[in-house]
Amino acid sequence: MSKNLVIVESPAKAKTIEGYLGKDFKVVSSYGHVRDLTKGDMAIDIKNDFKPTYEVSADKKNVIKDLKKLSKEAEMVYLASDDDREGEAISWHLKEVLDLNDQTTRRIVFREITKNAIENALKSPRGIDINLVNAQQARRILDRLVGFELSPILWKKIKTGLSAGRVQSVAVRVVVEREREIDQFKAESTFKVVAEFNIGKAVLKAELAKKIKTVEEAEAILKSLVGSKYHIKDLQTKPAKKSPAPPFTTSTLQQEASRKLGFSVSQTMTVAQKLYEAGMISYMRTDSVNLSNDAIQGAASQIISDFGNQYHKERHFKTNSSGAQEAHEAIRPTNFGRKSAGDDRNGQRLYELIWKRAIASQMAEAQLEKTTATISTNQESVLFSAFGEMIRFDGFLKVYMESSDDENDEDQKGMLPPLSIGDELNLNIINARESFTRHPARYTEASLVKKLEEMGIGRPSTYAPTISTILKRGYVVKENRDGKERSFLSVVLNPKAKGNEVSTSQQTETFGVEKKKLFPTNMAMLVNDFLVEHFPNVTSFSFTADVEKEFDEIASGGLEWADMIKSFYTPFHTRVEQTSNIDRSDIKVVRELGKDPASGRVVITRMGRFGPLVQIGDPEDGEKVKFASLRNDQFIENITIEDALELFKLPRTVGTFEEGEIVASVGRFGPYIRHASKFYSITGEDDPHTIDEARSIEIIELKRSTEANMIILDFEGTDIQVLNGRYGPYIKAGKKNVKIPKDKKPEELTLEECQELAAAAPEKKKKFAKKK
């Protein structure tokens, strides 16, 4: 029997730590939180200072039973959950549930899982920090109160099954408002004039210093340059420096992993959690950019060893976030000498990103040389400029270059060919191309996290769950969307086209292609508008940020948690009671678009049972009402009568296949194609309004292939089949799915064996609704 019991949250963490400790220590896992607020509306006693009632989760009862037995046998119990508010709360709940006493229970914390860190933590144990527990408890109680009181209001006034939350509703509002900014955006066009000169085998590109507003002005400038000579009028060379970014916080790791690796926010946290539990990186939930002295020395040794003294420069970064805890560290490797994180590909990619960023933060600046060449023409007022950049010393760029979310970023400038003042240049072509201002960029998961962090909304532990929640609840979708086609003008000066040097042509381009962007749904817009109107505090950016600051105050012992909840809840609950009296008909959920030219009946758009739709006619007219679903990129608030009428062109005949017609349409469960009385779902980027014959045949043949591979045995004349399923082969007997014993080969089963196994399998229990 071990003298000391160490309790952590996860089995992986327990396994790593047990490898560092001797036979006097037993390390076990609580498998996360062991208890939570009870279900229903009795969890919080509002009249008794919001006293919470907790219960042990059903799936944790055996875990608690085992932990109680082990804790009674141990001389000392160490609670070693994560070093943050959530971890502190887990330790407090364990102490309460296991009935541990202060004399034989200690709390230990560490920011990395290394032998040295664990041993140091054991040398300096402490009690549970009740202020951190109260901060987590206040967040949990407040979020429960908001959800439990707001969601029923949405059910009554808008639609059953909707939900609202203190942080999720603000995140949805950010996405909705960006979509409306984009809808209201009016693109303006200008002409960018670029000249190309041949210098030996090199090409020099130079831009006119100013943007041109009209095609007439562009044509006039290019005509004035017919027959012009071009010379290097001036060369300016200036030294420049580029400094490395600080090591990762939770937010910046999520952003960079999205840009460089294509990871979602939740995927980044899952992979980082595994790296942390394996002892590879420091704790991954942090808003600090600070590095410990040991880490700084470790990075220095590795830099000098790998690259030499000239590449090293010690740096100390300071966190700008007011709520950040400087005692915590940025995300970094636990050992800079370790270049590999094991066999998992995603684990290795993320570890390499963390290693490079942390190492680069302790490296010398890159020394650059920036050159600007000014080119004269026969028109004194028309000057071109060419820009170049040369790296004199790469410094930290040898290891790492930070990415950007800015879609308007120009490519990094390259080197200019050798030039001298007075050189005459040989013109190849000048192109004045019409370009358009871009609307504000839609959010990706990572850029939404960045926005929330800038606004002070949420903390490192809440970013990923917030994004997952708004996606899971259907307020926001993450999609790729095709761009649209538009025309642009191009004015070209070609010195080789004698007599027709300047020509203007109209061309087309595709713009607005979106990759993995967040789009609000119609329901998000409807719910957001309702909450903004009736619960302005809940969806207020500044108010939500202030609440986060109050949680920070509770964590530092500067504010009583019950007082903070009361100051929020009292006006909030009053608002809930007032809103309950609003007539549902006052909430604008129907919009009239105009009249159908063919029938003269009214066309409206509204939210239906299965999503947003347009409707021709009214049931009271006595005639049959027509319905059509909106496309993913259409909104109730701005769809036009023209767009609405287009939707009624479904179902449409796409083509033929095997002498049968292919029809595309939208049904209760979404878009589909129909062929030979069979239905094939259309998903992803396919649209029933635009899908063609070739793509439809591809979908049909793919499903046929999948179904063919799914069937192992098919006993004709019976309802029994042996199929390949998601979790392996199984028997399908009518409506019953039956497991196949391990000693049986699926492909060798007989009909009689299948019938016997099906008869022996238990019937599914019928679910009955509980009586109210």
Side-chain angles (χ1 to χ4, degrees):
M1 183 181 72
S2 301
K3 294 180 184 178
N4 303 289
L5 178 68
V6 179
I7 306 176
V8 297
E9 304 99 320
S10 78
K13 189 175 173 182
K15 185 179 178 183
T16 305
I17 292 172
E18 195 160 52
Y20 296 137
L21 300 175
K23 57 182 173 50
D24 289 339
F25 288 85
K26 182 172 183 62
V27 187
V28 293
S29 168
S30 70
Y31 296 87
H33 279 278
V34 293
R35 67 176 187 171
D36 196 3
L37 293 169
T38 57
K39 289 185 169 66
D41 55 4
M42 302 301 291
I44 301 159
D45 188 348
I46 294 167
K47 294 177 181 176
N48 190 15
D49 279 340
F50 303 94
K51 184 181 177 183
T53 300
Y54 294 103
E55 65 179 356
V56 174
S57 315
D59 61 334
K60 295 295 170 67
K61 287 184 177 175
N62 287 334
V63 173
I64 292 299
K65 184 180 174 183
D66 294 340
L67 290 177
K68 273 187 177 178
K69 182 175 182 294
L70 291 169
S71 63
K72 284 176 182 176
E73 294 170 353
E75 293 177 14
M76 181 63 72
V77 177
Y78 293 99
L79 301 172
S81 46
D82 290 339
D83 183 16
D84 57 13
R85 294 171 198 173
E86 207 73 25
E88 205 72 21
I90 288 173
S91 286
W92 177 74
H93 283 295
L94 282 168
K95 183 173 180 288
E96 295 287 308
V97 173
L98 301 178
D99 197 22
L100 304 174
N101 65 63
D102 291 336
Q103 287 72 36
T104 59
T105 307
R106 305 305 289 157
R107 171 86 166 111
I108 58 171
V109 294
F110 38 84
R111 301 294 294 180
E112 60 182 61
I113 303 176
T114 60
K115 185 176 178 63
N116 191 41
I118 304 302
E119 288 175 349
N120 286 338
L122 288 166
K123 288 174 188 174
S124 54
R126 61 168 173 81
I128 288 174
D129 187 335
I130 200 65
N131 291 327
L132 293 178
V133 175
N134 285 339
Q136 187 275 344
Q137 189 167 238
R139 181 188 290 277
R140 186 74 188 90
I141 290 170
L142 190 61
D143 289 348
R144 170 65 73 89
L145 287 170
V146 170
F148 257 60
E149 299 215 358
L150 269 189
S151 297
I153 293 284
L154 296 177
W155 288 32
K156 289 176 189 174
K157 306 301 178 187
I158 300 178
K159 186 184 178 186
T160 304
L162 295 175
S163 69
R166 190 181 54 82
V167 177
Q168 82 171 51
S169 297
V170 176
V172 170
R173 182 180 177 183
V174 172
V175 177
V176 166
E177 291 194 352
R178 176 54 57 88
E179 194 65 33
R180 285 175 173 157
E181 274 185 79
I182 293 169
D183 182 56
Q184 295 298 316
F185 181 81
K186 304 297 180 189
E188 295 180 359
S189 70
T190 56
F191 287 80
K192 181 180 178 181
V193 184
V194 178
E196 283 187 14
F197 303 96
N198 294 327
I199 302 176
K201 292 183 179 179
V203 173
L204 175 68
K205 286 189 177 183
E207 294 179 21
L208 197 65
K210 63 174 183 175
K211 293 276 180 80
I212 309 303
K213 290 190 175 181
T214 66
V215 66
E216 291 80 13
E217 191 181 353
E219 288 172 338
I221 288 174
L222 265 61
K223 284 176 181 175
S224 73
L225 295 177
V226 173
S228 175
K229 300 289 185 185
Y230 303 89
H231 296 88
I232 300 294
K233 182 181 180 181
D234 189 28
L235 281 172
Q236 294 285 335
T237 301
K238 294 179 181 177
K241 290 181 180 180
K242 194 173 183 68
S243 297
F248 285 127
T249 61
T250 302
S251 166
T252 54
L253 176 64
Q254 290 168 340
Q255 292 165 45
E256 196 73 340
S258 172
R259 291 185 292 242
K260 285 189 182 298
L261 308 179
F263 284 7
S264 68
V265 166
S266 58
Q267 183 183 10
T268 298
M269 296 313 291
T270 300
V271 177
Q273 178 96 28
K274 290 177 182 176
L275 291 173
Y276 167 68
E277 290 175 349
M280 300 285 182
I281 62 170
S282 59
Y283 192 49
M284 66 285 156
R285 291 187 185 93
T286 177
D287 47 14
S288 172
V289 291
N290 186 41
L291 290 178
S292 67
N293 289 331
D294 287 347
I296 288 172
Q297 290 169 17
S301 299
Q302 194 63 41
I303 291 163
I304 293 166
S305 169
D306 286 0
F307 310 113
N309 272 307
Q310 71 274 26
Y311 279 91
H312 173 247
K313 181 176 180 178
E314 185 174 316
R315 280 190 179 77
H316 297 267
F317 295 93
K318 185 156 181 67
T319 306
N320 293 324
S321 172
S322 58
Q325 301 172 68
E326 291 298 342
H328 291 170
E329 277 195 80
I331 303 168
R332 60 165 177 81
T334 54
N335 176 3
F336 284 98
R338 185 194 291 121
K339 304 284 181 72
S340 172
D343 297 330
D344 180 69
R345 180 172 176 267
N346 283 340
Q348 176 59 31
R349 293 170 74 206
L350 191 66
Y351 177 78
E352 196 173 285
L353 192 67
I354 292 166
W355 186 92
K356 286 180 175 180
R357 175 83 164 224
I359 278 282
S361 75
Q362 299 300 306
M363 292 178 73
E365 295 100 340
Q367 304 291 335
L368 311 174
E369 185 178 88
K370 294 190 173 184
T371 303
T372 302
T374 304
I375 299 166
S376 64
T377 69
N378 63 353
Q379 302 294 317
E380 196 173 325
S381 62
V382 179
L383 298 173
F384 288 89
S385 297
F387 304 94
E389 190 174 271
M390 178 186 288
I391 298 174
R392 291 294 185 189
F393 172 65
D394 53 4
F396 78 94
L397 294 177
K398 196 171 193 73
V399 172
Y400 183 81
M401 168 65 86
E402 187 179 18
S403 299
S404 169
D405 277 322
D406 188 354
E407 296 177 356
N408 296 314
D409 261 6
E410 297 286 331
D411 293 334
Q412 188 180 354
K413 298 291 187 290
M415 287 176 59
L416 296 179
L419 299 170
S420 300
I421 292 176
D423 283 355
E424 184 173 344
L425 304 179
N426 180 27
L427 178 66
N428 181 32
I429 198 168
I430 300 178
N431 188 355
R433 188 188 189 280
E434 187 178 18
S435 60
F436 301 86
T437 51
R438 296 186 186 182
H439 61 64
R442 288 185 173 89
Y443 291 106
T444 61
E445 285 191 22
S447 63
L448 180 56
V449 166
K450 183 181 180 182
K451 180 67 175 177
L452 294 174
E453 184 184 40
E454 287 171 355
M455 298 166 79
I457 296 167
R459 289 292 180 263
S461 61
T462 65
Y463 297 138
T466 298
I467 303 291
S468 298
T469 298
I470 63 176
L471 287 166
K472 186 170 71 175
R473 292 185 175 167
Y475 287 126
V476 171
V477 292
K478 182 170 75 171
E479 292 183 344
N480 297 337
R481 290 192 181 172
D482 294 335
K484 298 175 182 176
E485 200 172 81
R486 70 178 169 202
S487 301
F488 68 93
L489 295 171
S490 176
V491 186
V492 173
L493 166 56
N494 182 355
K496 296 172 186 173
K498 297 299 181 184
N500 190 27
E501 287 91 341
V502 177
S503 60
T504 302
S505 62
Q506 182 171 295
Q507 299 174 34
T508 58
E509 65 179 355
T510 300
F511 75 102
V513 175
E514 302 283 19
K515 298 287 185 185
K516 294 184 179 179
K517 293 296 179 67
L518 300 180
F519 297 86
T521 60
N522 278 279
M523 187 57 75
M525 290 181 160
L526 194 60
V527 170
N528 174 72
D529 291 351
F530 176 81
L531 292 177
V532 168
E533 181 180 353
H534 299 290
F535 297 92
N537 274 1
V538 172
T539 52
S540 163
F541 301 141
S542 59
F543 185 82
T544 307
D546 288 342
V547 169
E548 291 292 348
K549 290 174 187 173
E550 289 178 337
F551 289 146
D552 294 340
E553 284 185 59
I554 295 168
S556 61
L559 182 63
E560 283 293 325
W561 73 269
D563 293 342
M564 179 263 177
I565 298 285
K566 187 176 182 180
S567 68
F568 177 97
Y569 181 75
T570 304
F572 168 72
H573 183 66
T574 303
R575 196 86 191 187
V576 169
E577 290 179 325
Q578 292 169 348
T579 309
S580 296
N581 300 321
I582 296 171
D583 191 327
R584 182 168 182 168
S585 62
D586 292 339
I587 300 166
K588 192 177 179 183
V589 292
V590 177
R591 183 170 153 252
E592 188 174 316
L593 301 178
K595 297 281 182 76
D596 172 28
S599 65
R601 301 163 82 195
V602 172
V603 181
I604 64 166
T605 180
R606 63 180 177 86
M607 185 61 70
R609 185 179 172 191
F610 302 110
L613 55 83
V614 285
Q615 171 183 324
I616 296 178
D618 190 306
E620 294 179 5
D621 294 347
E623 293 183 48
K624 188 177 178 182
V625 177
K626 292 182 180 179
F627 301 97
S629 296
L630 268 63
R631 295 203 304 264
N632 285 349
D633 59 348
Q634 292 176 324
F635 294 107
I636 288 173
E637 65 182 43
N638 59 19
I639 187 171
T640 64
I641 182 69
E642 293 77 19
D643 291 336
L645 293 172
E646 279 293 314
L647 297 172
F648 288 100
K649 292 183 178 177
L650 292 180
R652 57 180 272 266
T653 301
V654 175
T656 56
F657 178 51
E658 296 173 344
E659 299 182 358
E661 209 172 46
I662 303 171
V663 175
S665 190
V666 175
R668 176 178 169 182
F669 303 108
Y672 65 86
I673 52 173
R674 186 181 74 246
H675 174 259
S677 301
K678 285 193 175 183
F679 294 84
Y680 304 84
S681 292
I682 298 174
T683 57
E685 295 169 21
D686 293 314
D687 187 322
H689 294 86
T690 57
I691 193 168
D692 60 18
E693 183 181 88
R695 175 62 182 146
S696 299
I697 292 170
E698 189 182 329
I699 290 171
I700 293 166
E701 290 182 331
L702 180 63
K703 187 175 180 184
R704 285 179 181 178
S705 171
T706 303
E707 288 177 347
N709 292 330
M710 184 181 172
I711 299 171
I712 299 172
L713 294 172
D714 190 359
F715 298 101
E716 286 188 22
T718 73
D719 60 356
I720 293 177
Q721 293 177 308
V722 181
L723 304 174
N724 265 319
R726 183 178 176 186
Y727 303 107
Y730 68 98
I731 298 166
K732 183 172 177 62
K735 294 182 178 180
K736 189 187 281 188
N737 294 338
V738 184
K739 285 184 179 179
I740 298 173
K742 290 182 179 178
D743 60 342
K744 301 277 187 184
K745 290 185 177 180
E747 64 275 12
E748 294 178 2
L749 286 169
T750 64
L751 175 61
E752 290 72 22
E753 285 176 314
C754 291
Q755 289 170 332
E756 286 172 12
L757 289 168
E763 295 288 338
K764 278 188 178 180
K765 291 181 181 179
K766 291 183 180 179
K767 295 181 180 178
F768 295 95
K770 290 182 181 178
K771 290 182 180 179
K772 291 185 180 179

